[in-house]
Amino acid sequence: MSSDISNSDHNPEGGSVKQKAPPLNKPKFWNDPKKRSLLFQVLLLTGLGFVFYSIINNTLTNLEQRGITTGFDFLTREAGFGIAMSLVDYSEASSYGMTFVVGLLNTILIAAMGIVAATILGFILGIARLSDNWLIAKFSALYIEIFRNIPLLLQIFFWYYAVLRTLPHPRQSMEFFGAYLNNRGFIFPAPVPQDGFGLVVFGFFAALFGSWLISRWSRKRQELTGQQFPVFWVSFGLIVGVPLLLFMFGGMPLGLDHPELKGFNFKGGVTVIPELIALWFALSIYTAAFIAETVRAGILAVSHGQTEASTALGMSKAKTLRLIIIPQALRVVIPPLTSQYLNLTKNSSLATAIGYPDLVNVFAGTTLNQTGQAIEVIAMTMAVYLTLSLLTSFFMNWYNARIQLSER
Amino acid sequence: MKYELQPTLPPPSNMIGIIGWLRKHLFNGPLNSIATIVIGYFLISFLVPTIQWIFFTSDWVGDSRDACTSGGACWVFINNRLDQFLYGFYPEAEHWRVQTAFILLIGSIIWLVVPPTPKKGLVATLLLVVYPVVAYFLLYGDVFGLKKVETHLWGGLSLTLVLAVVGIVASLPLGILLALGRQSEMPIVKSVCVIFIEIWRGVPLITVLFMASVMLPLFFPEGMSFDKLLRALIGITLFQSAYMAEVIRGGLQAIPKGQYEAADALGLGYWQKMILIIMPQALKLMIPGIVNTFIALFKDTSLVLIIGLFDVLAIGQAANQDPDWIGYSTESYLFVALLFWVFCFSMSRYSQHLEKSLNTGHGSRA
């Protein structure tokens, strides 16, 4: 009985037979996922390319029609306008490129001032929100709920128009210890370093370095022998004492440039313009509310077992907070904290509304109006903020990766 | 010897009731007691005069500044200009159109929020698709015999709401596409989406508004005139879509991978999988994030004052410059702050409530 199965590959000797593989059920060309994804991406690129091409074409045509040139040569032209406050030398004869630098420095100044104040205030409020004392906790909660829900621009306007502008005229300024407060700003005596002051500065940095060495040494010693060293007070004494001693023995080489009322205004001293003060207050108060919530979330994220264990070991509440809770809470707090810092820096661009000469006001405001080079100016401004935010993202990713490794 | 249980005594009187509460929460240590006394003193010395100034010695009705004589807050100022604060420069005869549009909006939102009402899906779809068209025709006019009201006359609280609602509604579909694209495996789609999101999230809203109002007319052929409100809306929508994409990505990532795999195993295509399986589950998780984004956008709409639109804060600023009412700027700031605070606080409370009620343990198992 011979079988009638197809036996084109039947081996007469018997033994294993290499079967020809059944034909693959290949999907149709337009159903193959790889080919479809390739097609889709090519379509997307072509579409985007077309959109960008037509935008650029239109822009160039429109610019030509309005007689505006493109290119970055305008940065070397003379600016011709004054800026109310500048950290570097600036006059009307400086170039537009210089206005960019002045604006950038002013933005960095207000961002740094705001970050410091907001962090201090925010940490205090966040910890206070979790206090045992009902009054402190509720007061902190009230602050947070009020200032989080009012727009920042409104707060800036309130501080500027309703508070600082109503201060008295320079002739009737409020005075404290040689500093004056009026509606032109806060004017205080400027320190003028004289010969010998360099030694004091050197002493300060040497004391900083010494404190760092002492803290390292004391930590090693504590790990080996368990003995504690009052690092904080010794460092404090060093950092304050060494420069002070050098200052006194050097014959007090610090002059003071006192502000004097001449006519309608003060001459001399350092003037902090009211726009800066209003912006600083509003930014710090607003961001501190958000930082307080972040800190509170971080502290609540530390398992309660840690608090209980440290209390069982006999540590006081303050020591528990300082040595156990906060270091662990920082791990949860730092990523959202850096994004709040970034928000503060971006929000500082609201300075335009009250006339503080930050980057957006000076460059994307006045310079853009005068030169008409909208594309270049706005591109440069956006590039600055983008760089800052990308740097912050990289830092956050690095920090997250680092703390991941230190866990089990 | 028999052991007899003594009768139990009540707790000491200074540990229960109000005395006990005071000792535990306000005065439970020397430092705390001092802090309570100091803060209490400051609060009372600040709050009592302020509340007196706002409520008790203030004037509420009148016609001109002569009515503000009692030394307290002058709410006559706000009363007289209330129409402007609410409707901007909208012609008075047509106010009913703005009111209708917003009653429809508030009504549908209440329908969606209150738990026992039926047919929420239908109402939500109507709200997202039909309402914008209806509202646009109501507000702008020029059809069905309604008088045309140019957008530069829109202002006040109604303009703030228009900006915020349009911003959120328009940025939702774009944000969904961006979030899905960011998760995609196609490298070009993924990089385009990531670049788009990171650019818009990294720049301040002011530069976006400047860009929209200055550069947008340059991007389009000569002759296409752009309404200022439309430019601001385009800028706000693009800006919000990046933040919305991140919220949506968070919701999508909370869905267990098993759902994706099960959908693939059933042979569902990509869009079927997304529309039928993933998005309905993810939307439930995203809602608190979307409400938070809405709160932030609502506060940020005040920035349009810088490009010349008259939202409620700008009306307040303009009111402060009125020569008839000099010196009452604090009242107008307080009023605008109160408006914003009421909206934002209630929305944030609602979002917290939602987070608690939606946190049904989703995604915590594989």
Side-chain angles (χ1 to χ4, degrees), chain A residues 41 62 133-134 148 346, chain B residues 25 36 188 201 218 220 299:
Chain A
Q41 291 177 76
N62 283 328
N133 189 322
W134 181 88
R148 267 200 329 174
K346 289 194 290 176
Chain B
H25 287 109
T36 306
I188 305 229
R201 275 186 7 140
L218 292 176
F220 288 90
K299 289 187 293 177

Side-chain angles (χ1 to χ4, degrees), chain A residues 93-162:
Chain A
S94 313
S95 64
Y96 283 120
M98 203 54 191
T99 66
F100 177 76
V101 172
V102 170
L104 185 58
L105 284 175
N106 284 342
T107 298
I108 295 179
L109 174 71
I110 184 66
M113 285 168 69
I115 286 178
V116 167
T119 309
I120 297 176
L121 192 54
F123 266 83
I124 293 178
L125 281 168
I127 297 178
R129 178 97 166 72
L130 296 167
S131 158
D132 275 342
N133 189 322
W134 181 88
L135 200 60
I136 293 182
K138 286 299 171 215
F139 181 67
S140 165
L142 193 72
Y143 174 103
I144 294 175
E145 285 307 324
I146 289 182
F147 288 105
R148 267 200 329 174
N149 288 317
I150 301 182
L152 178 57
L153 193 57
L154 177 56
Q155 295 185 38
I156 294 178
F157 281 161
F158 176 76
W159 283 106
Y160 186 60
Y161 289 112

Side-chain angles (χ1 to χ4, degrees), chain B residues 31-313:
Chain B
L31 201 57
N32 262 336
S33 313
I34 297 179
T36 306
I37 294 177
V38 168
I39 292 186
Y41 173 72
F42 274 121
L43 273 183
I44 294 182
S45 61
F46 176 72
L47 272 182
V48 169
T50 310
I51 294 186
Q52 244 191 338
W53 181 82
I54 292 181
F55 289 109
F56 296 115
T57 55
S58 53
D59 306 288
W60 294 78
V61 278
D63 269 330
S64 72
R65 68 181 297 144
D66 311 317
C68 292
T69 46
S70 56
C74 184
W75 299 118
V76 187
F77 175 34
I78 309 292
N79 234 333
N80 272 359
R81 305 183 79 106
L82 197 61
D83 268 353
Q84 225 182 41
F85 274 106
L86 293 180
Y87 306 109
F89 305 112
Y90 216 84
E92 219 176 298
E94 315 287 331
H95 277 174
W96 63 271
R97 286 156 55 179
V98 183
Q99 288 159 349
T100 321
F102 284 105
I103 290 178
L104 280 177
L105 180 69
I106 309 272
S108 354
I109 291 184
I110 293 184
W111 189 278
L112 288 176
V113 163
V114 170
T117 50
K119 292 223 176 307
K120 281 197 207 290
L122 180 65
V123 173
T125 324
L126 281 180
L127 185 62
L128 284 177
V129 175
V130 173
Y131 175 76
V133 181
V134 168
Y136 172 72
F137 283 129
L138 265 180
L139 289 171
Y140 191 70
D142 214 16
V143 287
F144 300 132
L146 293 170
K147 201 175 91 156
K148 176 155 133 168
V149 180
E150 298 277 348
T151 56
H152 65 85
L153 292 175
W154 300 9
L157 187 60
S158 50
L159 182 65
T160 302
L161 283 170
V162 163
L163 285 167
V165 169
V166 172
I168 286 288
V169 167
S171 65
L172 254 177
L174 192 53
I176 292 179
L177 286 175
L178 283 170
L180 290 177
R182 188 169 180 165
Q183 276 197 326
S184 146
E185 284 161 2
M186 298 188 261
I188 305 229
V189 171
K190 184 168 172 160
S191 10
V192 165
C193 290
V194 167
I195 292 178
F196 185 94
I197 293 177
E198 290 305 322
I199 286 185
W200 292 104
R201 275 186 7 140
V203 291
L205 183 55
I206 282 222
T207 50
V208 172
L209 288 175
F210 273 170
M211 195 190 84
S213 77
V214 168
M215 280 161 73
L216 216 50
L218 292 176
F219 288 165
F220 288 90
E222 183 78 16
M224 262 182 87
S225 72
F226 260 103
D227 200 43
K228 211 194 271 189
L229 179 61
L230 186 59
R231 285 183 240 165
L233 280 173
I234 292 180
I236 290 181
T237 305
L238 288 172
F239 182 75
Q240 273 305 105
S241 61
Y243 287 87
M244 198 62 94
E246 288 296 287
V247 168
I248 293 176
R249 187 168 76 110
L252 286 175
Q253 281 180 339
I255 307 289
K257 204 121 191 342
Q259 300 284 312
Y260 291 90
E261 291 169 355
D264 285 336
L266 282 175
L268 293 175
Y270 181 78
W271 290 108
Q272 286 173 316
K273 172 172 62 172
M274 283 302 161
I275 296 179
L276 294 174
I277 310 280
I278 306 294
M279 290 305 268
Q281 298 181 62
L283 267 165
K284 196 175 82 147
L285 297 170
M286 287 178 220
I287 293 186
I290 294 184
V291 176
N292 286 341
T293 316
F294 183 67
I295 296 175
L297 177 60
F298 191 77
K299 289 187 293 177
D300 282 342
T301 56
S302 52
L303 267 66
V304 298
L305 122 69
I306 297 184
I307 54 169
L309 288 170
F310 278 94
D311 78 308
V312 66
L313 183 58

Side-chain angles (χ1 to χ4, degrees), chain A residues 77-226:
Chain A
R77 289 210 303 259
E78 190 181 293
F81 63 92
I83 297 184
M85 178 188 130
S86 166
L87 290 177
V88 292
D89 283 327
Y90 175 84
S91 72
E92 273 120 20
S94 313
S95 64
Y96 283 120
M98 203 54 191
T99 66
F100 177 76
V101 172
V102 170
L104 185 58
L105 284 175
N106 284 342
T107 298
I108 295 179
L109 174 71
I110 184 66
M113 285 168 69
I115 286 178
V116 167
T119 309
I120 297 176
L121 192 54
F123 266 83
I124 293 178
L125 281 168
I127 297 178
R129 178 97 166 72
L130 296 167
S131 158
D132 275 342
N133 189 322
W134 181 88
L135 200 60
I136 293 182
K138 286 299 171 215
F139 181 67
S140 165
L142 193 72
Y143 174 103
I144 294 175
E145 285 307 324
I146 289 182
F147 288 105
R148 267 200 329 174
N149 288 317
I150 301 182
L152 178 57
L153 193 57
L154 177 56
Q155 295 185 38
I156 294 178
F157 281 161
F158 176 76
W159 283 106
Y160 186 60
Y161 289 112
V163 175
L164 287 178
R165 283 291 206 88
T166 54
L167 286 174
H169 198 261
R171 288 194 163 187
Q172 291 107 19
S173 323
M174 312 201 292
E175 188 183 335
F176 339 79
F177 307 111
Y180 300 91
L181 185 62
N182 54 50
N183 68 2
R184 296 287 194 99
F186 179 65
I187 306 143
F188 57 90
V192 177
Q194 295 159 350
D195 299 326
F197 192 70
L199 197 61
V200 178
V201 175
F202 172 74
F204 175 72
F205 283 110
L208 273 180
F209 182 63
S211 324
W212 179 68
L213 284 177
I214 289 183
S215 85
R216 276 189 57 164
W217 165 82
S218 104
R219 195 174 314 153
K220 275 216 185 72
R221 180 172 172 244
Q222 183 167 356
E223 280 172 19
L224 282 177
T225 67

Side-chain angles (χ1 to χ4, degrees), chain A residues 241-402:
Chain A
V242 167
L244 197 64
L245 279 174
L246 284 175
F247 185 68
M248 308 250 250
F249 284 122
M252 313 263 248
L254 192 68
L256 281 181
D257 179 15
H258 289 279
E260 278 167 21
L261 184 57
K262 288 206 167 62
F264 284 111
N265 214 344
F266 280 89
K267 293 267 183 292
V270 173
T271 311
V272 183
I273 51 177
E275 288 86 7
L276 178 56
I277 302 179
L279 194 61
W280 183 47
F281 277 6
L283 272 176
S284 314
I285 291 180
Y286 182 74
T287 314
F290 288 88
I291 292 183
E293 280 297 284
T294 309
V295 168
R296 182 175 81 109
I299 294 184
L300 286 178
V302 177
S303 140
H304 194 62
Q306 299 283 310
T307 321
E308 293 172 349
S310 75
T311 321
L313 283 175
M315 286 169 126
S316 71
K317 279 216 74 183
K319 269 218 167 76
T320 312
L321 197 62
R322 188 169 59 93
L323 295 171
I324 309 284
I325 309 281
I326 301 251
Q328 296 185 62
L330 274 180
R331 182 179 294 192
V332 178
V333 161
I334 293 211
L337 191 66
T338 47
S339 82
Q340 287 303 332
Y341 288 166
L342 190 60
N343 278 344
L344 189 146
T345 311
K346 289 194 290 176
N347 282 336
S348 70
S349 57
L350 290 179
T352 315
I354 52 171
Y356 172 70
D358 82 316
L359 180 64
V360 172
N361 189 10
V362 159
F363 200 59
T366 321
T367 303
L368 191 152
N369 278 334
Q370 285 194 341
T371 61
Q373 311 257 50
I375 316 275
E376 290 85 356
V377 164
I378 295 208
M380 282 170 80
T381 315
M382 285 171 84
V384 166
Y385 285 107
L386 260 180
T387 316
L388 278 172
S389 69
L390 284 177
L391 281 175
T392 313
S393 302
F394 282 139
F395 167 74
M396 262 178 11
N397 286 337
W398 169 82
Y399 182 79
N400 275 333
R402 209 184 92 140

